Structure formats: C-alpha cells, structure tokens
C-alpha cells in the first residue's frame, strides 16, 4: 500500500521532493505569456512597420514545431491545436466586430450604405466565384466543385480591423476607411451564410437547398438587423438609467456584446450583423459624460489581445496540423493563391466601379486601389479554416489540413506584404497629401505652441526655485520642429498669405481665388471639428441631453463632406420638425373629449334643468355611463357565439334596454347643456351610436319579415357595427392617453430647445477660435459673417420657442442651472481632494450626495410656470434679494407691453431708463459696443465699428450701461414678438443710487455685474483655448471694480492683483505711453496707468481670499511680491501712441523681443 501511495505521489511532482508539481494549468500560462509577448513587441516595434501579429503567428508556428519534436511539450500544444471552432468564434469574433462597428461614423455609413452593399454582397459573390473556379482549375488534389467553392468562401472575406489598421491614422479620408470597414463587416456576414450552405452541401447533401437559402437569408439579414436594433434600444435605455458609473457601463457594454452575439447565433441569426447594427447605433454620447473615451480604449485593448491570441493559436494549429504534410508544391500554390487573391479583388472592384461612382460619395480609381490592397485576411478566414480542419467528417479529411495551410499562409502573406506597403501606396497615390492650407494651419498651431512655451518660460524665470536653471539647454530641449517640410515656393506663399515681413499686416491681394477657397475650406472643416468638440463638452457638463448632443454632432458630421457647407439652424430644425405629429394627435384627442377642458355650461334657472345639470356633471354619472357600456359588451359578445340562437329573445330585450339607457343619457346631457350639447365631438359620437342602434332595431323588427334572405346579411353587418358602442370607453382612456402624449411632447420640445441652445452655444464657443483657425483676415471676416448670421437665426429660434412654450423653456433652464451648480460642486470637491483637505472616505460621502442630486434631476417637473415681474426683480443680480431696494423699484416700476414690430428704443437717442424683459424677444441692431471709447478714437483703431445684431430674451436687461454713463443708445431695440417689460425710469434709478449708498452701493453693484459680463467675454475672446467657467467662480470672492478718474494715475499689479481687466473706457501705460481700450486684459508688465476717458472702470482680481471686497473708488496700496503665475503677454486691444511697432519690455525675455501684431493690436512678449 505504501508503495502505491509513493508511486501516486511521485506522479504529481517533479523529483523526490514535493516542491514542483507536474499538473498545472499551462494553458493559462500560454495565454498570459502571449499577452506579455504582444506587449513587449508593441513596445519594441512601435516605430517599425513590421506587423506584430505576424511575429506572434510565427512564434506560434515555432511552438508547434517544438512540440512536434519534444514529447513533454506536445501535450500542451496538441490541447491548443484541438480548440473548438465554435468556441474560437464566440470568444474572439464579438470583440472584433463590435469594435469595428463602434468606431465607424454612422452618418458616413448611412450615406455610403449602397456602396458598402455592392462591395460586400455582389462584390464578395464575384470574388468567391472567381477564386473557386481558379482553385478548381489549378489545384492538384482533385478537389471537386463544392470543395473548391468552399475554399473560395474561406479566403474571400477580409478583416474589418486589420484592413484599416495601417491607414486610419495617416490622413486617409474617413469615407475610404468606412468603405473598407463596412465592406469587411457585411462581407463577413455574407460569408457566414455561404460557408454554412456549402459546408452542409459538402458534408450532408440534400434537395431542399432553395428553401434553406431563403430561411437563412431572412434570419441572417432581416431578423438579425431587427434584433440588433432592438438590442441597441435596450442597451441605450439601460445606459440612460446609469449616472456617472463608468465601471458599470463598461461591464454592460462588454457583457451585452457577447450576450447579443451568442443569442443571435443560437437562434440561427447572424451575430455579425446584430453586433454591427448595435455598434453603429452606439457612440461615445450613448455613455455617461467622460466614459466614452475610456470605452474606446477598453475595446481597443480587447481587440489587440484578441488578435494576439488568434494568431498565436492559429500558428500553433498550422504547425501541428500541417507540418508533416508541407511540400514544395504547396509553396508554389500559396504564392499563386496570394497573387490571385489580389488580382481577382482588383478585377471585381474595377467591374463595380461604374456603379460605385454613381452612389454615396462617388468613387475613383485611387480609392479602388487602396480598397484592393487593404483587403487583409485574418479572423474569419482563420476561423472557417479551423472549422474545416477540426471537422470529424471522414469525407473531407484528405483536404482539411491543406485548406488550413493555404488559408493560414495566405492570411499571413497579406499581413506581411499588404499591411506593410499600403501606407506607401496611399502616400504615392496622393490620398494623404497635406495641402498648403493644412500646412498653414499646422504652422499656426506650432506658432501658438511656441508662443505659449515662451510665455511660460518667462514666468518660470521669475520663480525663485527654478530661476537658476540652464535656460539654454531648456530652450534646446523644448524646441518643436514643424511636422511638414516646406519648399521655397510654399514658404513664400505662407509668408505672403499670413503676414507682410515689413509691416506685419495681412495681405490679401497676392493670393489667388483658388488659394482663398482652399484656405476657407480647410478653415470650415476645422470649424466643424471645433463645433463637435463644443457639443461634446456641453454634453459632458450636462448642458445637453443625449438626444440633443447626438443630433447636433450628427448634423455637424453630415456637413463635413459637403464642400463649402456650414452648419445652420434651419437644417438642424429638420431633425425635430418631423416629430410634430404628436402635438396634432394630442390636439385631436383633446377636442374629442369635452371634459378634458373646463366646458361646463352655466346651469339654467329652472329647477328641472338645474337638477339635470347637477346630475350630468357628477362623477358618479360618468362612472355609471362606463358601467353601462361594459355591461352592454356581454350581449354583444354572445351575439358572436353559437348561443345567440338559444337566447335570441333575451338578447333582443337587452339591446332595447341599453339603447334606452343611451337615449336617457343623451337626453339628460342635452337638457343640462342646452345648445352647447351638439357642438362637442364626443356628444356627436354618442348620437351616432344611438342612431345606428335605432336603425338596427328597425331593420330587425320591420324589414326582416319582408325580405328574410337579403336582410340576414344586413343584420350580420349591424351586429358587427354594435361593437362601436365599446368605443364609449375611450372617453375614460383618452385623458390618460393625452397625459402620456403631453409628457412625450414635452420631452420632444425639451430636446428641441436643447438642440437650439446647444447650437447657439457652439457658435459662441467657436466664434472666438475663428482667427486661430483661419490665420487669415479675409477668411476670418467671411467666416465671422456666416457664423454671426447662423447665431442670430439660432437666437431667433430660441425666442420663438420661449414664446410658444414658456413653461417648458423655464423648466429646461431650471434644470440647466441646477446641473451647472452641481458641476461646480463636483469641481470644488476635486480641488479639495487634490489639495488634501478632503480624504477618500469623506470624498465618497460627498460624491454620493452630489450624485444623488444629479439623479434627482430627472424627477424635476417638465413644465414650470415662467417667473412674474416681481420674481424677476428678486432674481436680478444687483438687487441681491435686498427687500428695501426691491420694494423701492416695485412702487416705481411700470409694466409696458409692446406689439410685434414696435421699437422700444432707438440708436443715438438718450436712454429713458432700463427695461427688464419679462416675456417675448427683441432684436438689437446698431454698431458694436464702444465700451466708453470715443468714436473718433475708436475709428483710429484696427477694430473699426461694424454692424452689430443680437437677440435678447426674457430675463435680459436693456440699457443698463447707457443709463449708468448717461450716453446715447448704441443700438435700436425692436420687438420680434409681443414683448412685456418691467420699465425703471432713469430718474427712479438715480434716485435709488442716492438712497442706497451703503457699501456696496447699488450703483457699484450694477457696475460690478456689467464688469463681470464684459470680463468673461474678454477672457473667452482673448484666451479662447482655456476654460474660464470654474475659474471665474473660484475668483469671484476676490474681484472688485475700481474707478480710474480722468488724468489720474493708479498703480496696478502691485503684488495683490492676479489680473486687471479694463472693462470700460481707456487708460495709458505711464511707463511706455501705450494706450489700452476696453475690453482689454492689461499686461502684467504694466504697473501704473492713467485714465484717459470720461468713465474708466477696471475689474481687479486679487491674489488672496482674505481681503474683503473694496469699494470701487479705492485702490489697494499693498505691494507684496508679484505672483509667480503672472503672464508676460499683453492680451487685448492696444494702441501705440508713438507709432512704433516694437518695444523692448524685458531684456531677459526669450530672444529679447516683443511684437505688436496689427490684427489684435496687442504687444506680446515672445
């Protein structure tokens, strides 16, 4: 017994000691070693053109060969080589299919669908047929037609990921990339059907081939598409109920992908098409804000790991299955097969090119060459070959290893040759050439980066900790070269187009119209990209809901491929105008039920009529009516059974009884409502039921004895007509249906308002980037003109919606305000965590509270009554809920009503007071605001007076600044709709200034509100690439407004100030005699300024939070050290008094120069 135990123990361990066990899951080791090798190769060969998966496949072949000679290693290798093809399919295919579909552009796919269909269905069938015929003719293994055609199916399909892996990041058009991906995805689905048919014909021939084909087509295409669509709706609905839980969303996307694929394949449908539809209908916006990018990275990682395992396993399988049978003749056939695959694919694309040119985005021979050369055989080819090799059918045993060898080596050859040379092909064909406008855009971007580096370098030189760094080495280390080389002619074009080398101004005369058109087109594309980024940012911050964000992003992407096409609100409107049927249907239902609205007529003075009125409008009367209708349903149903002959007399009496009750009900209603009874639709319907019932009785009792045969059919018809009595119950259902429709309508109107507001916000966000995008004054003006018009149209649409649906708009605005405040709470919590004030446990509690508040946003009402004039006064920022001030204005304010087209105030006239818009929309037309700068001075500046148009909605105030400065109006205000305003006269306003002088005074608070508004606009315009929303909130307690009287001097940037913004008037730098005009961010090289306008106001941002807000007339005298974060650039509008174009501001600055650009009029330290 001891010997047996000793023997059994020895078989479990290596050697005499029980240390190293023999039975270990080495398959797990193989998996993770493969992943580690893949990561290592990706690190080493990152800059190489060698395909990593080819090396992994060769490693797999090497492992298979080693296992062939080493017995100890053979068990593991054979275990891998016998992998189940079905397991192989379900393990790796879902990842690749979903990732490919998820990365596709849905709007490009929708337009190019028929091109993809031609390439993937007829194109694949032609490929398959030609390859099968060629295989039958040249193979030396006596394959019959079925086997040859089966082999054609296997090698005819392509991989959707690997086919575009080498070209998707080199500048190739998205249209071509989507064509390649779409063709691969749908040809894979076609391949699955054809492969199953021919595999069955080879292994189990039968006669009902046509029937099987029809069933498979219905299941694989139609049913799979429907299943994929329904699955996407379920996933979207599920995702919509997950709030800021990225882990759950990733798990959901991963699990649902495999579940949908498994269910589709299990039910005989195509998992490929179902996942393709799912991936196309999902995008980054389908997930919570901030999760989309992580989702893309997660699926990219899974795709890489899937390809690592696929090619490693296939390498092992090829070595184990085919190594003993490889001959020289096989090598010749493999080379012939590879060349044939390329040639046949090229002939098919050439044959289909006339049709492809007439569809979608068109087609050309260069696109065709790329599509032909990028057809990589991989996942599906290898999976089908593996399925053949693992088949237990002895009828195909002779050729299964050969098919595996040919399919595997053909796949490796396409990867080794095509994937390494397709990039060169694309470059040679000129499909990724960087045009001069693109190079100019990159040139401007690099210039911007260098400028910011120089500014940061200047700031760091003031930092006491790094001031003694080696700045020569630093400058060399941060030097950025241009990614694209320019020849002499291009350099001259750039210099001639951008700036004159002598006066540094734009030149437009020397550029050709074609050059301007090309630059405009490039600027348009970059502008659309910026708009999409704005919509995504609004979605991430919660300002746009999912439907609105997807609509706007889709509308922008649909404009990308239409030359010269800018996005406008009129085309965006088409996305919601088709949904107006619900409103019409709701109105129809409301008209049908008289008691939906308050339609009770006044009771008559007569007792009987008054009693009838009281009875009819009781709830019990309505309930009794519903009960009678339900009871009447019983004899009506008996009429349709075999019992009708038995109880014919009783049924006839029941019919009389219920008709009498209906007549009694109608009579009571007529007596109660009088003449109004007949005008309600529901009462008319009840009269029709009574009339039809009386005709039914007359036919049965009078005409049936006269014509018994003919009248039997008529009686049967009226028996069916009796069923309309059941429709009386709709009176109970319709009000609930109306409520449901109202909720859905409110939801659609909410999305509509979100779309319009998101569009306007996107126009405002990108407006400040135009100059950076275009880099050319003529183009900037043209784009500005287009975008300003588009913005005005969007504002007009917002105003019209606010007029038509004030309750819904108020609810939307309320939700957005709550969302903004919760976002601020989240940002504040992040700052507290990063600074160590809040630990992880406290963070979890606070984050949970904020998250719960965000979840509760969905419970807010969909309609909220708009505020009244009194409520508006309470919400004005400069009143701050001050009870005495509000009561003062309530006594003196007047409510004014204006009709469409009325003028509230005109340009160049003195203001009479301020108008607070309570409802309606107004249009402002005039010149752009001068902000206290005299007209004669304004005309001398580079930024001249230009026509100005804007729209103001409810909550806006007209004439604040003009009343404060007692200057004439700069614009005419016209009513676009009927408008109601709360008017406060100028005399009452100044009386309030004199009465409420306590600090902070009322006048100061109005200046403070205006200064903040002007400052935020200045920051957005001059520093458009930064996000100032949260920064403004954090700096608000340290901000105050300072007055600079004319000809008086004031010290700034004395160590207590972070930023100084000129919000009104003009100042002069006392040191270099340079003038600055509002609005302008004063440079930190300016330490003392002198007021040069009648009214000059500065907004000061202090460095600390401990100082209390100062009065506007006071100026801080404290002079601690300058902030280490100061900027050395002058940002804003500046005018040099001595006519010089350059000033030396700092001898230690980078290269020691500062430049005064003519377009901005700003001195920047470079």
């Amino acid at each position: 017994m001891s010997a047996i135990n000793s023997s059994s123990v020895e078989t479990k361990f290596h050697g005499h000691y029980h240390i190293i066990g023999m039975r270990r899951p080495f398959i797990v080791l193989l998996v993770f070693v493969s992943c580690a090798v893949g990561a290592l190769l990706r690190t080493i060969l990152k800059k190489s053109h060698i395909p990593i998966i080819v090396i992994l496949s060769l490693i797999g072949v090497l492992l298979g060969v080693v296992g062939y000679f080493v017995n100890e290693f053979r068990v593991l290798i054979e275990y891998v080589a016998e992998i189940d093809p079905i397991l192989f399919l379900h393990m790796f295919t879902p990842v690749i299919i979903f990732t490919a579909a998820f990365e596709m552009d849905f709007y490009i796919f929708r337009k190019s669908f028929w091109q993809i269909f031609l390439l993937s269905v007829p194109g694949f069938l032609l490929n398959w047929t030609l390859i099968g015929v060629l295989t039958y003719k040249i193979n030396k293994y006596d394959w019959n037609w079925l086997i040859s055609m089966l082999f054609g199916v296997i090698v005819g399909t392509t991989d959707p990921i690997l086919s575009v892996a080498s070209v998707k990041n080199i500048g190739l058009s998205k249209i071509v990339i989507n064509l390649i991906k779409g063709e691969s995805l749908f040809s894979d689905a076609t391949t699955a059907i054809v492969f199953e048919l021919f595999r069955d014909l080879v292994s189990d021939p039968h006669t009902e081939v046509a029937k099987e084909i029809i069933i498979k087509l219905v299941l694989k295409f139609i049913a799979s598409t429907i299943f994929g669509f329904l699955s996407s709706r379920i996933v979207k609905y599920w995702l919509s109920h997950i709030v800021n839980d990225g882990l759950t969303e990733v798990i959901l996307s991963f699990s649902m992908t495999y579940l949908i694929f498994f269910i589709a394949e299990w039910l005989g449908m195509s998992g490929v098409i179902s996942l393709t539809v799912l991936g196309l209908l999902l995008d980054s916006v389908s997930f919570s804000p901030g999760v989309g990018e992580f989702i893309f990275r997660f699926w990219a990682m899974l795709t890489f790991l899937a390809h690592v395992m696929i090619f490693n396993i296939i390498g092992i399988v090829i070595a184990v299955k085919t190594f003993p049978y490889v001959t020289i003749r096989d090598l010749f056939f493999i080379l012939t097969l590879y060349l044939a695959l390329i040639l046949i694919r090229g002939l098919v694309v050439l044959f289909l090119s006339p049709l492809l040119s007439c569809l979608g985005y068109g087609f050309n021979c260069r696109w065709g060459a790329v599509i032909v050369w990028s057809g990589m055989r991989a996942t599906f080819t290898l999976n089908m070959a593996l399925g053949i090799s693992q088949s237990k059918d002895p009828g195909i045993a002779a050729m299964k290893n050969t098919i595996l060898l040919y399919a595997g080596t053909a796949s490796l050859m396409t990867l080794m040759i095509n994937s390494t040379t397709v990039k060169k092909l694309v470059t040679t064909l000129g499909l990724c050439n960087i045009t001069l406008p693109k190079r100019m855009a990159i040139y401007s971007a690099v210039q911007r980066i260098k400028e910011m580096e120089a500014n940061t370098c200047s700031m760091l030189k003031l930092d006491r900790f790094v001031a003694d760094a080696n700045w020569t080495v630093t400058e060399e280390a941060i030097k950025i070269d241009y990614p694209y080389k320019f020849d002499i002619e291009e350099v001259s074009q750039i210099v001639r187009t951008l700036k004159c080398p002598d006066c540094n101004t734009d030149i437009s005369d020397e550029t050709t119209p074609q050059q301007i058109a090309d630059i405009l087109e490039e600027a348009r594309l970059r502008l659309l990209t910026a708009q999409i980024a704005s919509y995504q940012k609004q979605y991430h911050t919660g300002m746009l809901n999912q439907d609105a964000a997807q609509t706007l992003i889709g509308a922008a992407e649909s404009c990308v491929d239409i030359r010269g096409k800018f996005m406008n609100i009129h085309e965006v409107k088409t996305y919601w105008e088709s949904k107006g049927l619900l409103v019409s249907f709701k109105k129809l239902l409301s008209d049908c039920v008289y008691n939906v609205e308050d339609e009770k007529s006044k009771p008559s003075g007569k007792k009987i009529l008054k009693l009838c009125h009281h009875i009819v409008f009781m709830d019990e009367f309505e309930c009794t009516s519903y009960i009678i209708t339900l009871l009447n349903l019983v004899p009506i149903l008996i009429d349709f059974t075999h019992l009708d002959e038995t109880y014919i007399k009783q049924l006839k009496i029941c019919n009389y009884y219920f008709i009498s009750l209906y007549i009694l009900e109608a009579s009571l209603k007529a007596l109660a409502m009088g003449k109004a009874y007949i005008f309600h639709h529901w009462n008319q319907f009840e009269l029709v039921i009574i009339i039809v019932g009386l005709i039914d009785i007359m036919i049965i009792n009078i005409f049936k004895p006269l014509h018994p045969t003919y009248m039997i059919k008529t009686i049967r018809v009226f028996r069916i007509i009796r069923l309309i009595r059941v429709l009386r119950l709709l009176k109970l259902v319709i009000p609930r249906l109306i409520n449901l429709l109202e909720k859905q309508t409110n939801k659609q109107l909410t999305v509509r308002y979100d779309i319009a507001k998101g569009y306007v916000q996107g126009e405002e966000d990108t407006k400040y980037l135009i100059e950076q995008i275009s880099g050319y004054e003529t183009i900037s003006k043209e784009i500005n003109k287009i975008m300003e018009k588009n913005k005005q149209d969007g504002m007009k649409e917002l105003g019209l919606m606010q007029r038509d649906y004030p309750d819904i708009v108020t609810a939307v605005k309320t939700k957005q305000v709550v969302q903004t405040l919760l976002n601020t709470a989240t940002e504040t919590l992040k700052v507290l965590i990063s600074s160590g004030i809040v630990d992880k446990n406290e963070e979890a509690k606070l984050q949970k509270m904020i998250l719960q508040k965000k979840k509760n946003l969905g419970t807010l009402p969909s309609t909220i009554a708009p505020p009244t004039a009194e409520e508006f006064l309470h919400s004005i920022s400069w009143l701050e809920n001050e009870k005495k001030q509000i009561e003062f204005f309530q006594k003196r304010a007047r409510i004014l009503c204006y009709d469409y087209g009325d003028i509230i105030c005109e340009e160049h006239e003195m203001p009479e007071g301020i108008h607070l818009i309570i409802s309606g929309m107004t249009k402002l037309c005039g010149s752009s605001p001068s902000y206290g700068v005299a007209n004669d001075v304004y005309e001398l500046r580079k930024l001249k007076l230009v026509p100005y148009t804007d729209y103001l909605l409810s909550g806006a105030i007209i004439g604040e600044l003009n009343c404060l400065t007692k200057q004439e109006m700069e614009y005419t205000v016209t009513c676009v709709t009927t408008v109601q305003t709360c008017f406060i006269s100028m005399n009452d306003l100044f009386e309030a200034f004199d009465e409420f002088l306590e600090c902070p005074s009322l006048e100061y608070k109005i200046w403070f509100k205006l200064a903040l508004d002007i400052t935020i606009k200045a920051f957005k315009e001059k520093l458009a690439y930064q996000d100032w929303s949260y920064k403004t909130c954090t700096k608000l307690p340290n901000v105050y407004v300072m007055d600079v009287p004319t000809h008086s001097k004031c010290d700034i940037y004395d160590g207590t100030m972070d930023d100084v913004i000129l919000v009104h008037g003009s100042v002069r730098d006392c040191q270099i005699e340079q003038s600055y005009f509002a609005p302008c961010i004063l440079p930190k090289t300016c330490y003392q300024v002198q007021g040069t306008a009648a009214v000059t106001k500065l907004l000061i941002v202090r460095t600390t939070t401990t100082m209390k807000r100062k009065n506007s007339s006071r100026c801080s005298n404290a002079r601690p050290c300058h902030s280490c974060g100061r900027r050395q650039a002058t940002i804003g509008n500046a005018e040099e008094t001595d006519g010089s174009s350059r000033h030396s501001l700092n001898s230690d600055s980078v290269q020691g120069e500062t430049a005064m650009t003519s377009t901005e009029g700003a001195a920047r330290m470079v």
Side-chain angles (χ1 to χ4, degrees), residues 696-719:
D696 182 15
I697 293 173
M698 292 173 60
I699 290 174
I700 293 174
N701 292 280
I702 299 176
F703 297 103
K704 181 178 179 181
L706 300 178
H707 304 281
T709 305
Y710 175 75
M711 295 309 299
I712 288 175
K713 296 181 179 179
T714 307
I715 291 171
R716 290 175 180 172
V717 172
F718 273 92
R719 183 183 296 173

Side-chain angles (χ1 to χ4, degrees), residues 459-469 1121 1124:
M459 291 189 296
L460 290 174
K461 287 180 179 179
L462 301 175
D463 192 330
R464 60 180 178 177
F465 295 107
V466 296
D468 57 346
C1121 296
C1124 63

Side-chain angles (χ1 to χ4, degrees), residues 739-873:
N739 291 334
L740 182 63
L741 288 175
E742 187 171 1
K743 290 181 180 179
Q744 189 65 25
T745 303
N746 291 344
K747 182 180 177 182
Q748 289 185 359
L749 292 173
T750 299
V751 173
R752 174 178 170 181
Y753 184 83
D754 267 350
I755 291 172
K757 184 180 180 299
Y759 173 80
V760 172
Q761 186 62 49
E763 296 296 298
E764 290 183 349
D765 291 343
T766 53
K767 171 185 176 182
Y768 304 112
L769 301 173
I770 293 176
E771 187 175 346
Q772 301 175 32
I773 289 174
S774 63
Y776 191 43
E777 186 178 3
T778 304
I779 304 300
S780 297
K781 289 181 179 179
E782 182 67 22
I783 297 177
N784 256 317
K785 182 179 177 182
I786 294 171
M787 294 196 66
E788 188 61 32
K789 182 181 182 303
N790 291 341
K791 177 190 170 184
Q792 293 172 16
D793 293 341
M795 288 295 297
K796 185 175 181 181
E797 188 66 30
L798 283 176
L800 294 176
M801 280 190 281
Q802 187 154 347
R803 177 198 66 182
D804 297 335
Y805 313 104
D807 296 350
I808 295 174
V809 172
T810 304
V812 173
K813 290 181 177 180
T814 303
K815 290 181 181 179
Q816 289 179 346
V817 169
V818 175
Q819 181 69 59
T820 303
L821 295 175
L822 292 175
N823 289 341
T824 304
T826 303
E827 291 294 328
T828 305
L829 181 58
K830 289 180 181 179
V831 173
L832 295 174
I833 295 168
S834 62
S835 59
I837 299 175
V838 176
D839 61 22
K840 291 186 177 181
N841 294 330
E842 296 166 341
E843 173 203 356
K845 294 179 181 179
L846 294 173
Q847 189 66 39
K848 184 178 180 180
M849 293 171 60
I850 296 174
L851 187 60
Q852 185 60 44
K853 294 295 182 182
K854 289 185 177 182
K855 290 181 179 180
N856 293 341
L857 276 175
T859 63
L860 293 179
S862 59
T863 57
I864 298 177
T868 61
E870 182 178 351
E871 292 172 338
F872 267 123
L873 286 176

Side-chain angles (χ1 to χ4, degrees), residues 115 179 190 193 218 249 261 291 297 305 405 514 544 606 741 745 761 817 831 983 1009 1044 1111 1118 1137:
Q115 291 177 304
L179 280 176
T190 308
I193 300 174
V218 172
E249 295 182 46
F261 184 84
V291 180
R297 292 181 179 275
L305 295 180
L405 174 65
Q514 184 59 43
L544 278 182
K606 298 180 180 180
L741 288 175
T745 303
Q761 186 62 49
V817 169
V831 173
F983 176 71
K1009 178 257 184 183
V1044 183
N1111 192 279
T1137 57

Side-chain angles (χ1 to χ4, degrees), residues 876-878 913-915 956-965 969 971 989 1006 1009-1010:
I876 295 177
S877 60
W878 41 265
I914 62 175
H915 292 265
I957 300 177
I958 303 172
E960 282 177 303
L961 183 58
N962 302 90
C963 288
L964 283 175
T965 58
M969 300 295 293
Y971 44 78
L989 186 63
I1006 297 178
K1009 178 257 184 183
L1010 293 172

Side-chain angles (χ1 to χ4, degrees), residues 493-510:
Q493 287 182 356
I494 289 177
V495 174
R496 192 168 61 244
T497 304
L498 291 176
K499 302 290 179 185
C500 172
D502 298 326
C503 61
N504 200 36
T505 57
D506 291 302
I507 298 177
S508 58
D509 298 332
E510 298 186 19

Side-chain angles (χ1 to χ4, degrees), residues 538-599:
Q538 292 180 59
Y539 171 70
H540 291 159
T541 57
M543 293 297 101
L544 278 182
N545 61 35
Q546 187 181 103
D547 293 335
Q550 288 177 331
T551 299
L552 288 169
I553 292 172
E557 289 179 342
S558 64
C559 295
V560 169
D561 297 296
I562 305 176
R563 186 176 178 85
K565 183 70 175 178
F566 285 86
M567 188 178 170
N568 61 72
I569 192 65
H570 301 295
E571 293 185 354
V572 176
K573 284 173 63 176
T574 59
Y575 287 86
W576 72 63
E577 285 180 343
S578 60
K579 300 179 180 180
L581 294 175
L582 287 179
V583 179
S584 302
F585 186 50
K586 174 193 164 188
K587 185 176 182 301
L588 177 63
L589 292 178
S590 299
D591 292 339
C592 290
V593 184
Y594 72 88
N595 62 351
V596 172
E597 298 178 358
D598 188 12
E599 297 175 343

